[in-house]
Amino acid sequence: MFHSVARRLAVAGGAGLLAVALATSAPAQAQPANQQRQQDFVSAAQEFGVPLDVLLGVSYLESRWDYNAGTPSTAAGYGPMHLTDLRTAGVVTSEFDQNGEDPRGDDARPALHPKPTQQPAAIPPGLQTVDQAAALLHTDAATLRTDPEQNIRGGAALLAEDQRKLGVRSEDAKDWYGAVAAYSGSEDVTAAQTFADEVYGTIATGETRTTDDGQAVTLVANPGVTPDKAQAERLGLRTDAPPATECPKSVACESVPAPYQELPGGDYGNHDIANRPQSQKIDTIVIHDTEGYWDDALTLAQDPTYLAWHYTVRSQDGLIAQHVPTKDVGWHAGNWYVNAKSIGVEHEGFAAQGTWYTEAMYRSSAKLVGYLAKRYGVPLDRAHIIGHDNVPGTTPATIPGMHWDPGPYWDWSHYFDLLGAPIKATGGAGSSMVTIAPKFAANQPVFTGCDKIGSGTPCAARGSEAVVLHTAPDAASPLLSDAGLHGAGVSTMDVSDVGSRVATGQQYAVAGRQGSWTAIWYLGQKGWLPSNTVVPASGLVATPKPGKATIPVYGRAYPETSAYPAGIAPQALAPMPYTFAAGQTYSAGGVVPSEYYSATTFDVSDHVVVRGKMKYVEVQFGHRVEYVNLDDVVLKPAF
């Protein structure tokens, strides 16, 4: 619909001119149903005098033009323009307020149970752009949250208002750099410029895609656009943020250091000093979400009584904060073996209450993780780039408390596209191993409990990276059981229940095929899933050596008792409550050494890496990875 208030004809700049002319040559009501969003962008651009390619570029970096079923992002943003409203999305907590997981995951120390955080009394102004847009349009916040057309108008109005404040009158996209930078909501000029650079990079290359609700949208490439970057200097943003040294140059990254500090009672916080990779190889990067907002996460990382991870990525603009040097060990994964060999990257937001992540966050995170993976030789696959939900419990008792972030709405397929390692078929038809690869937008399992874990309330229907497993080749058959999570009980569709669920990019050994269904080996059971959610894979699989009826499965790859020197208590090899039986096969992520980093005192001179003769194989045993003794298995190729 065209609106008479403040309507102005705007030329979309360069190659965008043709798109405007074509899109406006027919009445709005004559547009095909799947072209309505494109028309909404054209109409809003005209009404508020915003170049079309600028409006499309900003929206793409926020939402990729998706509606996301009207649900909020992980940073309380709604709709294609990511208008934010903290009042209706998310509750400020922290990732470690929940489930009782000990983030250190080291039996040699007392369990660390951080105190719950409190929701702030005042709503940060930067998280209430919906109110600013509502005031400009003389409408209400609810309309802007739920109506995609009005949401786009609200975003266009905000851009036009930022342009007015800059005092720039132009219909050329190159003259809107300052307004785009301001739209990021960044308080730091480098972060604002990085956001704007990503938008203009998208404008230069163009984009076309079908949104999650079936809308065909195109941003015509404008390779000749050269924005006036000096405009960002007039926004009055902070320029003195201390830069972090371990980030790629293509992202905005600042130093927000975590304190390594001795505490009363002989404890200390909030991470461990080490000398990686000289002391231990870094072989894993763990993707988390904060279960809280940016300011709260940074405050917690700077609390010596709390815990710290290596990096946090902000939703609205992709700003990165580094807290712990990568040479040191963060307390983030809930499994000390994994902590000692990994880098933890937190992402602002919520795995359930907020269900989608901004494109700005995905891009910034992928650049960081790609940089770290290249620096430390971490393979770009789902055995080494894992979610917190893929980290195993340390002992049977800790399994129920392990975390499930970043949740089933993190788009692993898109993330690996950005990493330059797309998830695709690597094996031939009929291969004995498959990669999980559903179509994200079309794959919509009906999870429950997004409002409150365990409530049973259905979540909004929307795309997911997760595929649910069944006990038979029938969608009506029961889910699998997870002895560690549920004992003899059956898994559920609760959004936090990973007991009968696989994730995009994970690889599993084939256990059978029937009609349009494929079975995989999963926690000692055959789990059935639709064949159109997997692609053939190649790689190594592990199976018990001949003569072994069953072999133990472990949640950490610790050395044999005889490897520990005097004064360091041997760590127990605690088998998990799962059965790896003869005839079963599991995807192997690689052979890993047996190691234990003994770091239980503030004095780093007492820290020792214990190495054993035993070697382990990381296997994709269920939703989480596990470890088996190399001497117990035969490794063979699947192709």
Side-chain angles (χ1 to χ4, degrees):
M1 180 174 67
F2 288 86
H3 299 269
S4 60
V5 180
R7 183 186 302 173
R8 299 197 301 271
L9 179 63
V11 177
L17 178 59
L18 178 60
V20 174
L22 292 175
T24 57
S25 60
Q29 61 268 25
Q31 294 296 318
N34 71 339
Q35 293 288 321
Q36 186 57 52
R37 185 144 315 143
Q38 182 87 36
Q39 183 61 44
D40 291 341
F41 279 114
V42 171
S43 300
Q46 289 182 332
E47 179 182 358
F48 294 99
V50 181
L52 178 59
D53 42 9
V54 167
L55 186 60
L56 285 166
V58 168
S59 178
Y60 189 89
L61 203 63
E62 295 287 13
S63 68
R64 297 176 76 210
W65 307 322
D66 285 339
Y67 176 54
N68 289 289
T71 60
S73 77
T74 61
Y78 290 84
M81 297 304 298
H82 196 251
L83 301 181
T84 52
D85 191 349
L86 185 62
R87 294 167 303 206
T88 58
V91 176
V92 175
T93 59
S94 81
E95 185 186 353
F96 292 95
D97 293 352
Q98 307 168 26
N99 294 348
E101 179 187 276
D102 170 14
R104 288 190 295 215
D106 184 5
D107 295 346
R109 286 181 277 194
L112 180 66
H113 294 299
K115 295 179 180 179
T117 54
Q118 301 296 321
Q119 187 164 356
I123 296 173
L127 289 176
Q128 285 303 123
T129 59
V130 70
D131 291 341
Q132 301 168 34
L136 291 170
L137 298 184
H138 305 290
T139 187
D140 58 89
T143 298
L144 295 178
R145 290 195 305 266
T146 58
D147 186 329
E149 177 190 4
Q150 298 305 315
N151 185 276
I152 292 168
R153 288 186 68 230
L158 289 174
L159 281 165
E161 178 64 10
D162 287 332
Q163 185 78 339
R164 184 192 66 77
K165 290 177 180 178
L166 282 169
V168 178
R169 297 181 62 85
S170 173
E171 297 175 345
D172 195 322
K174 71 179 181 63
D175 296 319
W176 284 71
Y177 186 89
V180 171
Y183 196 94
S184 71
S186 306
E187 70 280 355
D188 175 78
V189 68
T190 302
Q193 288 174 321
T194 301
F195 177 89
D197 288 345
E198 287 288 344
V199 170
Y200 276 87
T202 303
I203 292 171
T205 59
E207 287 287 351
T208 185
R209 69 182 297 263
T210 300
T211 67
D212 60 347
D213 54 349
Q215 293 291 304
V217 182
T218 295
L219 166 57
V220 179
N222 184 0
V225 63
T226 305
D228 179 8
K229 295 188 177 184
Q231 290 181 351
E233 299 172 3
R234 295 158 49 193
L235 296 176
L237 303 178
R238 188 184 68 186
T239 60
D240 60 349
T245 59
E246 296 182 292
C247 286
K249 294 181 179 179
S250 57
V251 300
C253 190
E254 63 184 36
S255 177
V256 184
Y260 183 71
Q261 183 174 321
E262 193 166 16
L263 302 171
D267 201 357
Y268 63 95
N270 55 17
H271 60 284
D272 275 292
I273 303 297
N275 189 31
R276 305 183 306 175
Q278 286 75 20
S279 59
Q280 284 184 283
K281 178 178 173 59
I282 296 171
D283 61 13
T284 304
I285 299 174
V286 183
I287 302 299
H288 302 254
D289 75 60
T290 60
E291 292 302 311
Y293 292 108
W294 172 262
D295 289 344
D296 304 280
L298 267 57
T299 297
L300 293 173
Q302 297 173 86
D303 182 349
T305 68
Y306 200 68
L307 57 109
W309 48 95
H310 295 88
Y311 298 91
T312 304
V313 187
R314 187 160 66 185
S315 179
Q316 66 192 45
D317 56 3
L319 175 65
I320 298 169
Q322 182 174 5
H323 312 299
V324 176
T326 57
K327 74 177 185 65
D328 295 334
V329 177
W331 300 347
H332 60 93
N335 182 314
W336 186 241
Y337 178 80
V338 175
N339 278 340
K341 298 175 71 64
S342 71
I343 294 170
V345 183
E346 291 275 2
H347 296 77
E348 180 188 21
F350 304 85
Q353 292 100 330
T355 54
W356 56 281
Y357 298 81
T358 66
E359 179 68 3
M361 174 180 278
Y362 277 127
R363 289 191 181 192
S364 186
S365 176
K367 289 178 180 179
L368 172 66
V369 168
Y371 161 84
L372 294 171
K374 182 177 181 180
R375 181 179 180 184
Y376 291 113
V378 178
L380 291 176
D381 60 41
R382 289 286 280 113
H384 299 89
I385 311 297
I386 65 176
H388 195 178
D389 56 338
N390 307 133
V391 176
T394 55
T395 67
T398 66
I399 294 173
M402 297 303 291
H403 285 202
W404 56 279
D405 57 296
Y409 302 116
W410 175 270
D411 192 343
W412 283 109
S413 179
H414 180 53
Y415 193 62
F416 270 78
D417 285 345
L418 293 172
L419 284 169
I423 293 169
K424 60 183 180 181
T426 58
S431 173
S432 58
M433 188 165 70
V434 292
T435 300
I436 308 303
K439 300 297 184 184
F440 185 86
N443 180 52
Q444 298 189 1
V446 184
F447 294 119
T448 62
C450 287
D451 57 340
K452 183 180 180 181
I453 301 303
S455 71
T457 304
C459 301
R462 53 151 309 166
S464 172
E465 55 83 43
V467 179
V468 177
L469 300 176
H470 293 268
T471 53
D474 180 353
S477 65
L479 304 185
L480 303 184
S481 59
D482 183 330
L485 278 178
H486 306 297
V490 176
S491 300
T492 71
M493 287 299 291
D494 191 275
V495 70
S496 67
D497 189 343
V498 299
S500 187
R501 184 188 303 174
V502 292
T504 294
Q506 291 180 325
Q507 295 185 323
Y508 293 87
V510 174
R513 292 184 172 92
Q514 182 174 323
S516 61
W517 290 77
T518 296
I520 59 173
W521 288 112
Y522 186 95
L523 297 178
Q525 307 157 84
K526 287 185 178 182
W528 291 88
L529 71 171
S531 297
N532 62 6
T533 62
V534 300
V535 293
S538 59
L540 290 176
V541 292
T543 192
K545 282 185 174 179
K548 290 184 177 290
T550 63
I551 60 174
V553 176
Y554 303 100
R556 49 198 179 182
Y558 278 172
E560 64 276 12
T561 299
S562 61
Y564 291 82
I568 298 179
Q571 297 299 297
L573 297 175
M576 303 306 249
Y578 305 121
T579 300
F580 189 167
Q584 296 178 7
T585 308
Y586 293 89
S587 170
V591 177
V592 298
S594 57
E595 293 180 343
Y596 172 66
Y597 183 39
S598 177
T600 60
T601 67
F602 182 71
D603 185 354
V604 297
S605 66
D606 293 336
H607 297 184
V608 176
V609 178
V610 180
R611 294 184 173 87
K613 294 180 180 179
M614 290 176 60
K615 292 185 177 179
Y616 292 82
V617 179
E618 178 189 315
V619 292
Q620 190 66 64
F621 197 69
H623 187 83
R624 304 183 190 276
V625 300
E626 305 284 353
Y627 303 95
V628 294
N629 193 321
L630 177 61
D631 291 338
D632 286 340
V633 297
V634 174
L635 296 177
K636 56 185 181 181
F639 46 84

